[in-house]
Amino acid sequence: MQFKRLSIPEVIVITPPKYSDSRGFFSETYNQNSMKKMGIDAPFVQDNQSLSRKKGVVRGLHCQISPYIQGKLVRCPKGAIWDVAVDARSGSPTYGQWVAAEISEENWSQIWIPPGFLHGFVTLTENTEVQYKCTSFYDKSSERAVIWNCPRLNIPWPVFKEEAILSEKDLLSPSFDQVKDWFVFHG
């Protein structure tokens, strides 16, 4: 597996090897020992999968607060997404900063979104499937969100506001300025 730390070093793009032949391919998409060597040592307790039928579907920016804070290992086995992580840890030197990476069936990469980060993505193709492993169970009362195109964050999403397809919940999410002590940085 190849590991690449982004400019916020806790967020890591992971590219598993893919072995192809005339029958198809084989890939080990998760290896606990390899992940542990990179500092990803959280138990995964839940797997999720989504299908977005249209290009331009925006999901996020989401997180869960204590006691159900989640880290996520995100992959895109079909289609392509532009995936975003925003540091929401109060006291962090990168608080309010974001990083992004294209995750797709073509590049076969994954992205580790650590606990304490907002997460979101936009689909770059139709019929995009996203799978992710979570370090904590889903809990509706712990769920929080920030509006995807918050001016404070200034994320250059690869979709125009008029073309973005969002859930009603995501359309009504507050700005990043509403994030007050959701997470604390433990340097």
Side-chain angles (χ1 to χ4, degrees), residues 76 78-82 102-105 122-125 128-129:
C76 183
K78 184 176 181 194
I81 60 173
W82 192 69
E102 184 173 320
I103 307 297
S104 70
E105 74 180 296
V122 61
T123 59
L124 303 175
T125 62
T128 294
E129 292 185 24

Side-chain angles (χ1 to χ4, degrees), residues 21-37:
D21 64 21
S22 61
R23 300 168 296 164
F25 73 87
F26 170 83
S27 181
E28 181 181 86
T29 60
Y30 175 77
N31 182 298
Q32 185 180 32
N33 289 333
S34 297
M35 298 291 179
K36 193 173 185 175
K37 287 177 187 173

Side-chain angles (χ1 to χ4, degrees), residues 63-71 88 115-117 136-144 180-184 186:
C63 68
Q64 284 194 176
I65 61 169
S66 185
Y68 294 97
I69 298 171
Q70 290 182 328
F117 283 71
S136 188
F137 294 105
Y138 171 75
D139 179 72
K140 186 166 182 58
S141 66
S142 298
E143 185 179 43
R144 298 292 185 274
K180 300 286 187 222
D181 301 321
W182 286 358
F183 309 103
V184 177
H186 301 285

Side-chain angles (χ1 to χ4, degrees), residues 8-182:
I8 300 175
E10 296 93 338
V11 181
I12 304 169
V13 173
I14 303 151
T15 307
K18 195 172 186 183
Y19 306 100
S20 300
D21 64 21
S22 61
R23 300 168 296 164
F25 73 87
F26 170 83
S27 181
E28 181 181 86
T29 60
Y30 175 77
N31 182 298
Q32 185 180 32
N33 289 333
S34 297
M35 298 291 179
K36 193 173 185 175
K37 287 177 187 173
M38 290 303 294
I40 303 169
D41 190 23
F44 292 106
V45 299
Q46 180 176 316
D47 282 5
N48 298 329
Q49 182 167 344
S50 69
L51 167 67
S52 298
R53 297 200 186 281
K54 306 261 185 196
K55 178 180 177 180
V57 170
V58 176
R59 296 181 187 260
L61 299 160
H62 302 149
C63 68
Q64 284 194 176
I65 61 169
S66 185
Y68 294 97
I69 298 171
Q70 290 182 328
K72 297 177 182 175
L73 181 60
V74 181
R75 52 191 301 261
C76 183
K78 184 176 181 194
I81 60 173
W82 192 69
D83 200 279
V84 177
V86 178
D87 189 346
R89 302 168 300 163
S90 295
S92 166
T94 55
Y95 178 77
Q97 295 179 27
W98 59 271
V99 290
E102 184 173 320
I103 307 297
S104 70
E105 74 180 296
E106 187 175 312
N107 68 23
W108 206 242
S109 291
Q110 305 175 39
I111 190 166
W112 165 244
I113 311 294
F117 283 71
L118 301 170
H119 173 247
F121 63 84
V122 61
T123 59
L124 303 175
T125 62
E126 293 184 350
N127 295 312
T128 294
E129 292 185 24
V130 175
Q131 297 175 341
Y132 51 101
K133 302 176 101 39
C134 300
T135 61
S136 188
F137 294 105
Y138 171 75
D139 179 72
K140 186 166 182 58
S141 66
S142 298
E143 185 179 43
R144 298 292 185 274
V146 167
I147 191 75
W148 70 287
N149 61 349
C150 177
R152 158 82 166 75
L153 297 174
N154 198 29
I155 299 169
W157 293 87
V159 63
F160 293 111
K161 181 179 177 180
E162 307 77 40
E163 297 171 345
I165 303 165
L166 292 104
S167 69
E168 184 175 339
K169 176 184 77 172
D170 286 346
L171 280 169
L172 300 174
S173 295
S175 75
F176 188 75
D177 296 327
Q178 302 299 310
V179 176
K180 300 286 187 222
D181 301 321
W182 286 358

